[in-house]
Amino acid sequence: QVQLVESGGGLVQAGDSLRLSCTASGRIFSTYAMGWYRQAPGKEREFVSAISRSGGSTYYEEFVKGRFTVSREKDKNTVYLQMNNLRPGDTAVYYCSASTSGSWVDWDYWGQGTQVTVSS
């Protein structure tokens, strides 16, 4: 069983930055692909970004490309989502996910989420 714990959310103004963290339990963190999703009020959960097991490959949805950066730190079992130039439309609960198969489609574990609120 893998436990994922997100942190770093908060209330910021448009144009500000936040860095989300997601720390995974277990000693095989490097075997998981990791992802970030978000869910805004009244909307479905949507895919935001992903990073491969090695960290050598990343993916971003168009609406965050150029503003968000995903990275991972093996020694800390942690994946990050650096969010710059935040917009009110980025307001959502952000979830990290882990894929034991390395797929960026099938996610096996989810965190509890961290709230990000961007005011205009």
Side-chain angles (χ1 to χ4, degrees), residues 24-97:
S25 63
R27 293 177 290 179
I28 54 174
F29 173 70
S30 61
T31 68
Y32 306 147
M34 301 296 293
W36 286 96
Y37 281 73
R38 70 186 187 186
Q39 187 167 20
K43 295 187 178 181
E44 293 187 353
R45 188 175 298 190
E46 63 181 357
F47 186 46
V48 175
S49 179
I51 187 166
S52 64
R53 289 162 163 165
S54 68
S57 297
T58 57
Y59 175 83
Y60 302 94
E61 287 289 4
E62 196 62 37
F63 52 79
V64 303
K65 201 173 287 185
R67 299 188 298 125
F68 291 11
T69 303
V70 62
S71 61
R72 63 191 300 160
E73 191 168 359
K74 177 182 176 182
D75 292 344
K76 294 186 177 180
N77 278 14
T78 299
V79 62
Y80 303 99
L81 186 67
Q82 177 67 43
M83 306 186 296
N84 297 330
N85 192 20
L86 284 162
R87 306 166 179 170
D90 295 318
T91 295
V93 177
Y94 284 72
Y95 300 90
C96 73
S97 55

Side-chain angles (χ1 to χ4, degrees), residues 5-12 16-23 36 78-83 86 92-96 112-118:
V5 180
E6 301 102 331
S7 61
L11 172 62
V12 297
D16 286 349
S17 298
L18 279 174
R19 187 178 77 159
L20 305 183
S21 301
C22 172
T23 300
W36 286 96
T78 299
V79 62
Y80 303 99
L81 186 67
Q82 177 67 43
M83 306 186 296
L86 284 162
V93 177
Y94 284 72
Y95 300 90
C96 73
Q112 83 289 349
T114 186
Q115 177 70 48
V116 172
T117 303
V118 185

